[in-house]
Amino acid sequence: MGRGAVPTDVEPSGAVAHPQSSPGHGPATARQYALQPPGDPPRDVDTAGTCPKVYVINQFTKPIMPTTAAGSAAAELALLDAIAARGARAAAHNGRQLVWWGTAAALLLAVQYVAEVRDSAPSRQLWWWQPPFLLGAALSLRAVYRFPDRRPRASQITRIYIAGFATAFLTLAAYLVASGIATGLPAPLATVLVLTAVLGCALAVVGVATGLRPLTVAGGGWVALLVWFATRGRVVPSDFLVLAAAMLLLVAGPGLALARRRSIASLLGTTMSPT
Amino acid sequence: MTDVRYRDLDDVIHGRLRLALMAFLSTAREAEFQELRDLLDVTAGNLSVQLRTLEEAGHVVVTKQHRGRKSLTTIAITPTGDAALARHRAQLQRLLGLDPNVR
């Protein structure tokens, strides 16, 4: 790898007095990383012959003046990890929202199952919690982005996320209200099929459009559940528990996967503690 | 030398700012121009140059939208970018695993 073959970064203005980012000088920040002076390629290492490994490591380590190349490579990767972690947090709020609503829906479905089997409330009234719940979930999609440190609402991921899930929640709520008003009680099998189809489509579409793969996988899970219910052709009370489990696994689960995304450091298996 | 193929390191990703951009986008998936500029504390021109390099390599997709007087530029990582970053990580992993005490 000759010097001429390596693209050279345009460094940020004012990069001369960059902050110390060596181990033991406070937490690493993305800004420190960006402000490091040019090291691409290093000027004092011959890349043509004897020790290309030193060259490559120095690509990452030279500016922070480590005691050992490997230790400084870990420090450099820690800086990258800080950046990746920041990126994970940017997307993680989507995950947290799914965790909240998926868990809440699972709990309410479990309560409804208990009420059904114990006959502690009329069946014709038990479903009424669902439309307000869905409406609340749809409204919260917009409201949650008003908090600071959230991804801007104008962002493409945010818009796709809000549009996809708000459409799904409102469609389900509208179906339940229309069906409930028309017949007094939404038909169980039709409701389950609509629920699984709408959630499956929403998760799959949002997942594919945003590249958030856990959502795509969860969408496939809901579609599989749809096929299972359609094939069986009936709904029994214990299906409330099946749906509650699905809410945990296929709504809260992918949310948790997004919120707990692994960083570059963990992918590399590198110790991120400064050495 | 061993089986570490340092020549396989992706020159496009290997640049500092570009690697930082890819690291952020690998987890965020998509970001706004302003967000990246603030994160890395770089000038708009510098960021544009780096993004163009990544875009030409197919690692990111830059989308510009106009809403009245305001413009919104979003940057998203592509599957190609994901794969390239994964290869780069693997190379680094092999590299670090060779001899941690090399000076």
Side-chain angles (χ1 to χ4, degrees):
Chain A
M1 185 183 289
R3 292 182 185 184
V6 181
T8 302
D9 284 321
V10 180
E11 289 301 318
S13 57
V16 176
H18 67 89
Q20 289 294 319
S21 57
S22 58
H25 287 80
T29 67
R31 191 162 295 181
Q32 286 175 344
Y33 182 85
L35 287 176
Q36 287 169 3
D40 194 12
R43 296 185 178 86
D44 55 351
V45 177
D46 178 11
T47 63
T50 56
C51 195
K53 185 166 67 174
V54 172
Y55 159 65
V56 176
I57 289 178
N58 277 350
Q59 287 276 78
F60 286 87
T61 60
K62 182 170 171 278
I64 53 179
M65 293 175 288
T67 53
T68 68
S72 63
E76 188 77 10
L77 288 165
L79 290 171
L80 286 177
D81 181 55
I83 300 170
R86 174 87 177 259
R89 285 197 300 276
H93 61 81
N94 292 345
R96 286 197 292 271
Q97 210 169 24
L98 291 177
V99 172
W100 297 336
W101 287 107
T103 305
L107 289 174
L108 287 169
L109 285 166
V111 168
Q112 186 166 355
Y113 167 75
V114 172
E116 286 277 3
V117 297
R118 290 187 175 179
D119 202 19
S120 54
S123 293
R124 288 185 177 278
Q125 293 174 8
L126 281 174
W127 65 276
W128 274 110
W129 67 266
Q130 294 167 358
F133 178 87
L134 290 164
L135 197 61
L139 291 175
S140 76
L141 287 170
R142 282 184 67 83
V144 77
Y145 290 96
R146 293 182 185 279
F147 292 110
D149 197 28
R150 297 299 169 102
R151 179 173 289 280
R153 278 189 295 170
S155 134
Q156 196 169 353
I157 277 188
T158 303
R159 281 186 285 112
I160 292 170
Y161 181 86
I162 290 177
F165 287 112
T167 303
F169 295 157
L170 293 177
T171 301
L172 280 173
Y175 165 78
L176 287 167
V177 170
S179 176
I181 289 174
T183 63
L185 177 68
L189 179 60
T191 300
V192 168
L193 295 180
V194 170
L195 171 73
T196 51
V198 168
L199 282 182
C201 288
L203 283 161
V205 167
V206 173
V208 169
T210 59
L212 298 171
R213 289 173 195 163
L215 301 186
T216 312
V217 174
W222 280 105
V223 172
L225 208 55
L226 164 69
V227 172
W228 182 68
F229 275 117
T231 305
R232 198 175 65 168
R234 65 190 174 91
V235 173
V236 295
S238 62
D239 286 335
F240 281 115
L241 295 181
V242 172
L243 290 175
M247 287 291 176
L248 283 177
L249 286 175
L250 301 177
V251 176
L256 202 60
L258 290 183
R260 302 269 178 195
R261 242 181 269 191
R262 289 194 302 170
S263 64
I264 282 180
S266 60
L267 288 170
L268 279 168
T270 308
T271 301
M272 286 296 105
S273 302
T275 54
Chain B
M1 207 54 208
T2 67
D3 61 346
V4 173
R5 300 172 65 183
Y6 72 96
R7 292 177 190 278
D8 288 348
L9 284 173
D10 190 327
D11 285 347
V12 175
I13 293 182
H14 200 37
R16 286 189 177 282
L17 289 180
R18 292 188 293 274
L19 186 54
L21 286 166
M22 292 296 288
F24 183 83
L25 290 170
S26 69
T27 45
R29 311 306 303 167
E30 179 253 15
E32 291 181 57
F33 188 89
Q34 179 69 41
E35 187 179 6
L36 293 175
R37 198 176 69 174
D38 293 345
L39 173 78
L40 299 173
D41 195 23
V42 293
T43 64
N46 190 356
L47 183 57
S48 293
V49 169
Q50 306 306 328
L51 288 175
R52 195 176 306 128
T53 303
L54 290 171
E55 189 179 24
E56 286 170 355
H59 294 340
V60 301
V61 172
V62 180
T63 308
K64 293 182 181 178
Q65 301 170 64
H66 294 279
R67 290 183 171 183
R69 292 180 181 178
K70 292 184 178 179
S71 66
L72 175 68
T73 302
T74 54
I75 301 97
I77 194 167
T78 64
T80 306
D82 274 330
L85 189 61
R87 281 196 302 273
H88 196 75
R89 281 179 192 150
Q91 289 289 346
L92 285 176
Q93 193 172 23
R94 280 194 286 274
L95 188 69
L96 288 171
L98 272 180
D99 183 3
N101 295 317
V102 67
R103 292 176 186 272

